[in-house]
Amino acid sequence: LEVAVAGGHHQAALDAVLAGSAGLLEHNQAELRARLDSQSPWWVPDAVDDRIFAKVHAGVTNFLAEVGEDPDHHVRRQFDERVRALVEDLRRSPELSAKAEELKAQVLDHPSVQAWAATLWSDARHALVEATADETSELHRHLEAAVVRLGETLAADADLRRKVDAWVEQTVVDLLHQYRAEVADLVAGTVSRWDATDASRRIELQVGRDLQYIRINGTVVGGLAGLALHAIGELAF
């Protein structure tokens, strides 16, 4: 909360509340008018109720708009003061801080909040994937520019390249060491599903050129060895 206040994010949260409240008033205008009609005395004419409702609705809507548009509005100042006072109280009072943590845990553990968070993450991930795949999107252009800058920096800085290479190498070693059992199981499970023909084909594809080189060398060396033995035999006898 302290970090959010320091960055002014609490005012952004207030903006969201104001916008949401204005939207609720606008979208539920008919229901609010019906509520007023049900609470109004029977002898009050509908025209009077209409005027009262219109004035109240317009007044509240205009008030929300004023607070939202004026960064120096007195409501914003009061909100800022109270939030900062709350931050200070949380810092000084262990009891209040503990209650706040307990409340936060209860909110985060609530099934509705967890379902909302999962939906939010799913939507955000989907939007991120779509934006990344779209070559015309702003995100795609920024990512592309960042990758290009990184490549240019690595190409121009030999010391940085060595550090990156060392970091990548160490990371791979650490991951292999940490997950060596899982990697071994994965490799063993994959290979065990190959039949003899499939295994030989895969090995041939991966190391075919090396195997061919070994075959040629073996043939040449074997031929030379046989020729040498034959020559020795002829000379000896």
Side-chain angles (χ1 to χ4, degrees):
L1 183 59
E2 185 175 358
V3 175
V5 172
H9 300 297
H10 62 303
Q11 292 292 347
L14 178 59
D15 288 335
V17 172
L18 293 170
S21 300
L24 284 174
L25 286 175
E26 182 65 26
H27 295 140
N28 295 280
Q29 188 171 350
E31 182 177 350
L32 293 172
R33 175 63 183 86
R35 288 290 184 92
L36 175 63
D37 187 61
S38 66
Q39 299 295 325
S40 178
W42 63 269
W43 45 267
V44 176
D46 289 341
V48 174
D49 283 342
D50 288 340
R51 293 186 62 183
I52 293 175
F53 177 79
K55 285 184 175 294
V56 172
H57 187 274
V60 175
T61 301
N62 292 336
F63 173 74
L64 293 175
E66 289 174 3
V67 178
E69 294 170 0
D70 185 2
D72 196 41
H73 197 280
H74 68 90
V75 172
R76 285 188 178 276
R77 292 198 300 271
Q78 292 176 0
F79 176 71
D80 183 76
E81 292 171 359
R82 295 192 178 187
V83 172
R84 292 183 184 277
L86 175 61
V87 170
E88 192 64 26
D89 291 341
L90 289 172
R91 183 188 301 163
R92 294 182 177 181
S93 173
E95 295 82 5
L96 184 59
S97 179
K99 289 182 179 179
E101 288 296 326
E102 182 181 356
L103 177 61
K104 181 180 70 174
Q106 291 176 356
V107 171
L108 294 178
D109 289 340
H110 195 280
S112 298
V113 175
Q114 292 182 351
W116 172 78
T119 303
L120 181 64
W121 166 242
S122 177
D123 293 343
R125 181 177 58 183
H126 182 68
L128 182 62
V129 171
E130 285 189 344
T132 305
D134 183 5
E135 296 183 359
T136 62
S137 69
E138 192 72 20
L139 177 61
H140 184 93
R141 289 196 294 269
H142 282 303
L143 288 176
E144 185 178 24
V147 171
V148 170
R149 286 196 300 271
L150 176 60
E152 292 173 346
T153 302
L154 289 173
D157 192 335
D159 185 56
L160 179 60
R161 286 200 305 273
R162 286 192 295 270
K163 291 180 179 179
V164 171
D165 288 341
W167 176 80
V168 171
E169 181 179 352
Q170 186 60 48
T171 301
V172 172
V173 170
D174 292 342
L175 289 175
L176 288 176
H177 178 74
Q178 182 176 357
Y179 299 104
R180 59 185 181 276
E182 290 82 354
V183 173
D185 291 341
L186 175 62
V187 173
T190 302
V191 174
S192 66
R193 291 192 294 270
W194 295 350
D195 55 26
T197 303
D198 191 30
S200 62
R201 182 181 62 82
R202 291 174 181 270
I203 295 173
E204 186 72 28
L205 287 174
Q206 296 297 323
V207 295
R209 296 181 62 184
D210 294 333
L211 288 177
Q212 190 67 19
Y213 178 75
I214 293 172
R215 293 190 189 106
I216 294 174
N217 281 348
T219 302
V220 172
V221 171
L224 292 175
L227 181 61
L229 291 174
H230 177 73
I232 292 172
E234 290 294 327
L235 292 174
F237 300 101

